[in-house]
Amino acid sequence: MKSSSDLFKRAKKVISGGVNSPVRAFRAVDSNPLFISRAKGSKIYDVEEREYIDYVCSWGPMILGHSNELILKKVEKAMHNGLSFGAPVEAEVQIAEMIVSMVPGVEMVRMVNSGTEAVMSAVRLARGFTKRDKIIKFEGCYHGHSDSMLVKAGSGVLTAGIPDSLGVPRNLAGDTLTAVYNNISSVQRLFEENKNQIAAVIIEPVAANMGVIPPEEGFLKELSCICRQNSSLLIFDEVITGFRLGAGGAQEYFGVEADIVTFGKIIGGGMPVGAYAGRKEIMEYVAPCGGVYQAGTLSGNPVAMAAGLAQLEILNSSPGIYEDINKKAEVLGSGLEKIVQKHKVPVTLNRVGSLLCMFFSQNPVTNYQEAKQSNTKYYAAFFKSMLSKGIYLAPSQFEAMFVSTAHTYEDIDATLKAVEESLAENIALMEEL
Ligand code: PLP
């Protein structure tokens, strides 16, 4: 039988760091990655045939769980018609119509291949539309790895402790200004210091790459007002929240409309898909209608579109699906809170809908600085204990736990039991740290 450790050894010889995306290397939890062979429903299986309840869910896309039969059927059908044509297909129109019908304020859509590409294109569009260069982002928010966005980013960048990235031109980074999440005066200040220069403010409406941090009451509305007052655009990066907080994503959930919205993850049903979308007057700036160039050989790929469309159709047509998933996350969250209180472990639990994070910190976590106070060593120990009990959590303190419709209440009970045992096992360590 193959083993994860053998595969990782081979991988490290031919793939930088042995992985194709940094967080997967498990460095933040001082471990080696599992190689996964298959997945079904709420479970994933490693190459050694061990079963795990999966709360990573491919970092968000698998909201219906793994290997959903309906999605697989649609993908198979599309696949037999040909893998790629580089020409328009009906599924592109259908998915765009579906997105327009589901998401508030969206009149037009452009499909791309990843969240990074979606954000990179949205930022270019905002700059082209406003004829301005500067962008405001928030410390600890991650928007993919395009040059402009690798400034005080979250997710793997935060995990690896890399403040920025080598190779990002200084001049370009200089046009990315950073504000403090949940702090409107930090945004106001940047607008005052950069009058008529801000093209857009980009935000994860729920920050989910520095753990999970909800926007405080009124914060997103105030952001939208400031943008309007300054003729700047508001970009909601809904790569995680889109189609997760509800059919209409964060805009619907919080009742705030953005000018441009970016998507990824769920929109592809597990295939590499992203999209950016907005009002017609803005989207028509994109080539071939307008002067903002953006293109893609595989954009709108028929197999990827079939997967995404199938997933969105299920989400859009199943009454109660979001109530169900949020209820499961609530049961999980309240169970976690009871256990940490019982063991007197300093944990702050943040939850929005089906996104959760256990911060190993006794203080409220409302921004990046507060998130960074978490005890990452303790998280690593907790992570390892949980993994040994068959629970697959994100290999970093600064990532979300994703609940899917495939998680059962039995899964949640088993998870809570493992949490109880893992905390008890590590209590001595907690006192040491
Ligand atoms: N934006 C957000 C909010 C994300 O969470 C991510 C990835 O995790 C991205 C953008 C980048 O997406 P991708 O990894 O598909 O390039």
Side-chain angles (χ1 to χ4, degrees), residues 114-117 119 142-145 155 204 209 237 239-240 265:
S114 68
T116 295
E117 214 186 310
V119 170
Y142 179 66
H143 301 290
H145 63 92
S155 190
E204 288 181 75
N209 284 288
D237 180 353
V239 166
I240 286 187
K265 302 191 189 259

Side-chain angles (χ1 to χ4, degrees), residues 224-246:
S224 153
C225 285
I226 295 183
C227 285
R228 212 169 320 122
Q229 282 158 8
N230 289 279
S231 307
S232 303
L233 300 185
L234 178 61
I235 305 174
F236 271 8
D237 180 353
E238 296 229 41
V239 166
I240 286 187
T241 52
F243 312 106
R244 175 163 289 276
L245 296 186

Side-chain angles (χ1 to χ4, degrees), residues 215-346:
E216 282 171 0
E217 184 74 37
F219 178 62
L220 296 175
K221 274 212 172 82
E222 285 178 274
L223 214 51
S224 153
C225 285
I226 295 183
C227 285
R228 212 169 320 122
Q229 282 158 8
N230 289 279
S231 307
S232 303
L233 300 185
L234 178 61
I235 305 174
F236 271 8
D237 180 353
E238 296 229 41
V239 166
I240 286 187
T241 52
F243 312 106
R244 175 163 289 276
L245 296 186
Q251 294 191 98
E252 184 182 76
Y253 193 87
F254 295 109
V256 180
E257 270 191 25
D259 299 295
I260 306 178
V261 193
T262 58
F263 298 107
K265 302 191 189 259
I266 291 176
I267 206 172
M271 300 291 269
V273 179
Y276 60 107
R279 294 192 301 279
K280 187 167 181 272
E281 55 159 338
I282 300 175
M283 292 304 290
E284 286 201 328
Y285 267 67
V286 180
C289 286
V292 174
Y293 195 72
Q294 181 268 310
T297 300
L298 293 174
S299 293
N301 170 272
V303 183
M305 292 302 98
L309 183 59
Q311 177 141 284
L312 294 192
E313 272 171 356
I314 296 171
L315 291 171
N316 198 35
S317 63
S318 313
I321 198 162
Y322 288 103
E323 284 81 359
D324 169 57
I325 188 173
N326 292 348
K327 181 80 204 156
K328 284 175 183 162
E330 189 192 324
V331 170
L332 177 61
S334 59
L336 290 171
E337 280 190 309
K338 267 190 214 130
I339 296 170
V340 295
Q341 275 161 17
K342 181 173 145 195
H343 289 276
K344 298 194 174 53
V345 180

Side-chain angles (χ1 to χ4, degrees), residues 1 31 36 49 70 90 107 109 130-131 139 144 178 180 184 187-188 214 223 257 282 347-348 366 373 392 419 427:
M1 193 193 289
S31 293
I36 304 303
E49 270 303 308
L70 241 154
E90 187 182 358
E107 293 172 340
V109 184
T130 58
K131 316 275 187 302
E139 272 182 14
T178 48
V180 177
I184 204 72
V187 181
Q188 194 86 55
L223 214 51
E257 270 191 25
I282 300 175
V347 162
T348 295
T366 67
Q373 304 306 314
Y392 189 80
V419 169
I427 213 89

